[in-house]
Amino acid sequence: MPEIYAGQKISIGDIQIFADNIFLGQTQVAINPYLYLDNDAYNFLSATNLLSNDLISTTINTLVTDLKSQNLWDKLYAMYPLVGGTSTTCQYNLKNTSSLNLGFSGSWNFNNNGISGSGTNNYAGTGFQPFTASFDNVGKNLSLGIYVQNNITGGYDMGIDGVINDDLYITSRYVNNLTYFYYTSSLTVANTDARGFYIGTLSGSGANNQVIYKNGVSVASQNGGGGQTTGGNLVIGAANPSVEFSKRLYGLSFIGKGLTSTNASDLNTTVQAFATTLGRNV
């Protein structure tokens, strides 16, 4: 194969190719160096201004393509990769960067491992109100997920607590050493290590339809009720804007439709690979 040197010109009809430029006639053709990226990954990386970060670009692209190949992408309302180390980059929803972006309130710390609150006044509003028509009145078909990187008790990881009738929240390790997934009815399991990837899901109305998964494994289940209220904005890092603030370190979070055990296992595999590549795995 002949070698091509910098500045060397190769002509094919009206197309002139230099080692670092392409011309059609006398017009230089723009080269997009990001054509290898999935469109949704590209949109996220463009919004966060992280296209030039090779590690994050590759990791986000793999995350998106894996979610799609496992038929998980369409089950998501929102996913927050929490990359880039700033409030601006961490706010964006991977699924749709123009919808359900995070609004940070109170004292938060942003770094390469994700986000952590002060435990005194911090919460991140998602804008997600699961009991409204805009989200198909999800009722008994919902999942929440959070990737926790440190072993700290207390506070809620995600929640809508204290709204009119029904609470909805998940916490990896409360002060009583229990993991909670509450959705009309409370599901708990003993836990002394908050670290890991947690999924709380309610899917349908069959037996054991309310499940807590930790690192892809079911650790508790029951016949869940589900329900509806007339309000509530799901937040991350607290039970609501007023109480149960958490100071745990989060490396990813998501909101989605109800998940099967296979879905939960596949999602865990994908998220753990994402965390490992970024060096935030536990």
Side-chain angles (χ1 to χ4, degrees):
M1 179 178 293
E3 295 180 341
I4 300 176
Y5 301 96
Q8 181 177 349
K9 173 183 174 182
I10 301 173
S11 297
I12 307 174
D14 289 334
I15 300 176
Q16 302 174 48
I17 303 175
F18 291 81
D20 51 1
N21 293 290
I22 297 178
F23 289 84
L24 180 58
Q26 299 299 314
T27 303
Q28 184 173 353
V29 179
I31 302 173
N32 183 354
Y34 306 112
L35 287 175
Y36 72 96
L37 292 173
D38 174 274
N39 285 339
D40 290 301
Y42 176 86
N43 290 339
F44 175 83
L45 293 164
S46 179
T48 56
N49 198 29
L50 292 171
L51 279 167
S52 60
N53 186 311
D54 291 340
L55 174 61
I56 292 178
S57 290
T58 302
T59 306
I60 289 294
N61 191 63
T62 300
L63 176 62
V64 172
T65 55
D66 284 352
L67 289 168
K68 290 182 176 180
S69 68
Q70 294 167 341
N71 297 315
L72 292 168
W73 183 256
D74 290 338
K75 291 182 176 291
L76 298 174
Y77 292 113
M79 177 172 277
Y80 307 101
L82 307 174
V83 293
T86 71
S87 60
T88 299
T89 59
C90 289
Q91 72 176 311
Y92 282 104
N93 171 14
L94 177 64
K95 185 70 186 292
N96 182 350
T97 57
S98 62
S99 175
L100 301 181
N101 292 324
L102 297 178
F104 293 101
S105 296
S107 179
W108 285 92
N109 178 56
F110 304 91
N111 58 44
N112 289 335
N113 288 322
I115 64 174
S116 59
S118 63
T120 57
N121 63 351
N122 53 277
Y123 67 92
T126 65
F128 184 81
Q129 297 180 335
F131 309 111
T132 62
S134 59
F135 295 108
D136 304 320
N137 232 357
V138 295
K140 296 183 178 181
N141 186 23
L142 181 68
S143 60
L144 307 178
I146 194 81
Y147 194 93
V148 179
Q149 299 174 73
N150 50 4
N151 188 20
I152 296 176
T153 62
Y156 287 17
D157 297 313
M158 303 176 74
I160 305 174
D161 189 23
V163 293
I164 294 176
N165 292 312
D166 301 325
D167 294 340
L168 168 65
Y169 57 81
I170 187 169
T171 183
S172 53
R173 185 185 176 193
Y174 198 53
V175 291
N176 56 0
N177 290 327
L178 291 178
T179 295
Y180 282 85
F181 174 50
Y182 193 104
Y183 190 12
T184 303
S185 56
S186 181
L187 177 61
T188 65
V189 62
N191 187 18
T192 58
D193 191 349
R195 297 171 297 175
F197 179 45
Y198 294 84
I199 299 172
T201 183
L202 185 77
S203 182
S205 56
N208 297 317
N209 63 324
Q210 184 178 359
V211 188
I212 297 173
Y213 295 93
K214 181 178 180 181
N215 298 328
V217 177
S218 172
V219 292
S221 62
Q222 68 180 16
N223 297 342
Q228 298 177 0
T229 74
T230 57
N233 172 18
L234 184 70
V235 302
I236 297 173
N240 61 43
S242 301
V243 295
E244 298 290 1
F245 304 108
S246 167
K247 54 184 178 180
R248 284 185 280 273
L249 174 61
Y250 301 129
L252 179 141
S253 182
F254 81 89
I255 308 165
K257 300 176 183 179
L259 302 177
T260 66
S261 59
T262 299
N263 293 153
S265 177
D266 289 343
L267 183 55
N268 176 71
T269 299
T270 295
V271 169
Q272 296 290 358
F274 163 83
T276 299
T277 303
L278 293 181
R280 55 174 70 168
N281 57 303
V282 294

